Amino acid sequence: MKEYLDNYKSNIPIILLVFYSLGYVYLDRYYARFNISIENYINLTDIIFVTIKTIVSLSLIYLVIEICLYIISRSILKIVFSKSLNYKLKGRIIKYSVYNRYYSLIIEKQIEKQTNGLSFFIFIISPFVLWYFLDETVIIFSLFFPFLIIKIHQITNYENDEERNKMIQFLLIILYVILLICFAIWGHNDGNFNKISDNPSKVEFYENQNSYNTNLDSLNFIGETSSYIFIYDRKNRTSLIFNKGNISNFKIKDITLTPEEKAKMQKETEMKIDSFFNKLKEKH
């Protein structure tokens, strides 16, 4: 444990450099979509929190994917190695008690050994399947390649610790380069999305007695740092930058629906559906 902590402490500067560079690349590409030179408005805390948020989200996504791949792979292998499909064993081992003992000693180990390989194969083909059904090529493959490095490490057999450490260092460098590219892509895409669509964040505040409300005006709330708030005016195609020290009455509206609003929306939807079918009946 002490050796692990010492090794971690010695690599803290490298870890921080990685986190800062990833966060900066994302923010730079994101705010570049609004012609904002974000380096003039951020500090190191702003950068590192962006990276942490993204890394945590990625970790949760990859954890869910890994669990799904493991369950699917194990299920397929259990079916393939079942007695009903294994005709050689079916003729030799009649009693289930004998088969169960053989299964736990031999087949279970075989399944365990092949799980990672089958998981890797399913993972390799999955983005192409998703690509066929979904029109999100960039997002699919930008999520695919970082996890691919982890899967490669997972299925690689190392002869000794020295070879393992060298391979891990090499894969970490590749992973870092891929993440840099992916963070730039995600920043660019998020910037494009918030530039042209209705941003779900509804904010209201005053600056020099002027009111700004993203819920009423053609304004999009595009982000904030420790000291600044950024708004994009879609009508005039201009970016507005506000120092937090100069604004007052800052409000963030809760956009979640109340039970009454949900019931009202459901009732309106049902009325529209009934009206549509009634018009069809009248035509016929």
Side-chain angles (χ1 to χ4, degrees), residues 25 113 209 221-222 241:
V25 165
K113 188 184 297 184
Q209 298 182 343
F221 174 73
I222 57 177
I241 303 172

Side-chain angles (χ1 to χ4, degrees), residues 73 136 160 207:
S73 301
E136 296 291 344
N160 50 59
E207 189 212 35

Side-chain angles (χ1 to χ4, degrees), residues 27-80:
L27 290 171
D28 179 69
R29 291 298 85 208
Y30 177 84
Y31 284 101
R33 303 305 303 140
F34 306 97
N35 295 320
I36 297 174
S37 299
I38 194 60
E39 63 270 13
N40 298 320
Y41 306 99
I42 54 174
N43 55 40
L44 294 180
T45 304
D46 297 324
I47 296 173
I48 202 165
F49 272 111
V50 168
T51 307
I52 291 173
K53 178 184 175 183
T54 308
I55 293 295
V56 169
S57 300
L58 280 179
S59 300
L60 291 174
I61 292 171
Y62 290 157
L63 179 61
V64 171
I65 293 173
E66 182 63 22
I67 291 172
C68 292
L69 288 173
Y70 180 81
I71 292 173
I72 293 170
S73 301
R74 293 278 296 186
S75 300
I76 292 173
L77 289 170
K78 280 182 176 292
I79 293 171
V80 170

Side-chain angles (χ1 to χ4, degrees), residues 7 12 31 37 65 78 85 100 113 116 122 136-137 141 151 168 183 186 199 204 233 242 246-247 275 277:
N7 187 46
I12 284 179
Y31 284 101
S37 299
I65 293 173
K78 280 182 176 292
L85 293 178
N100 289 337
K113 188 184 297 184
N116 284 340
I122 296 172
E136 296 291 344
T137 306
F141 284 95
K151 298 298 288 183
I168 288 175
F183 269 67
W186 297 332
N199 194 297
E204 179 184 352
D233 187 338
F242 302 92
N246 298 329
I247 67 174
S275 176
F277 282 110

Side-chain angles (χ1 to χ4, degrees), residues 211-246:
S211 173
Y212 297 89
N213 190 333
T214 60
N215 194 34
L216 301 176
D217 305 321
S218 60
L219 302 176
N220 274 2
F221 174 73
I222 57 177
E224 64 178 310
T225 62
S226 301
S227 304
Y228 296 91
I229 290 175
F230 304 94
I231 302 291
Y232 182 70
D233 187 338
R234 287 177 295 157
K235 184 178 180 180
N236 298 315
R237 300 178 65 186
T238 56
S239 299
L240 310 177
I241 303 172
F242 302 92
N243 191 310
K244 287 183 176 180
N246 298 329

Side-chain angles (χ1 to χ4, degrees), residues 142-265:
S142 65
L143 289 172
F144 169 77
F145 283 108
F147 197 32
L148 176 63
I149 304 302
I150 299 172
K151 298 298 288 183
I152 289 174
H153 168 63
Q154 197 177 67
I155 65 168
T156 304
N157 294 319
Y158 303 104
E159 295 182 1
N160 50 59
D161 290 341
E162 183 180 354
E163 181 183 338
R164 181 176 181 274
N165 291 333
K166 286 182 178 179
M167 187 62 176
I168 288 175
Q169 290 175 2
F170 174 74
L171 290 177
L172 284 175
I173 294 172
I174 299 298
L175 178 61
Y176 170 66
V177 174
I178 291 175
L179 282 175
L180 272 179
I181 297 171
C182 290
F183 269 67
I185 291 171
W186 297 332
H188 181 88
N189 285 352
D190 289 347
N192 274 344
F193 177 80
N194 286 335
K195 189 174 185 178
I196 63 176
S197 63
D198 289 327
N199 194 297
S201 298
K202 305 301 180 184
V203 301
E204 179 184 352
F205 60 90
Y206 288 86
E207 189 212 35
N208 296 329
Q209 298 182 343
N210 293 320
S211 173
Y212 297 89
N213 190 333
T214 60
N215 194 34
L216 301 176
D217 305 321
S218 60
L219 302 176
N220 274 2
F221 174 73
I222 57 177
E224 64 178 310
T225 62
S226 301
S227 304
Y228 296 91
I229 290 175
F230 304 94
I231 302 291
Y232 182 70
D233 187 338
R234 287 177 295 157
K235 184 178 180 180
N236 298 315
R237 300 178 65 186
T238 56
S239 299
L240 310 177
I241 303 172
F242 302 92
N243 191 310
K244 287 183 176 180
N246 298 329
I247 67 174
S248 60
N249 295 331
F250 184 81
K251 300 176 183 178
I252 302 176
K253 183 180 178 181
D254 185 1
I255 61 173
T256 56
L257 298 176
T258 63
E260 292 78 13
E261 289 173 332
K262 288 180 180 179
K264 182 181 178 181
M265 183 177 292

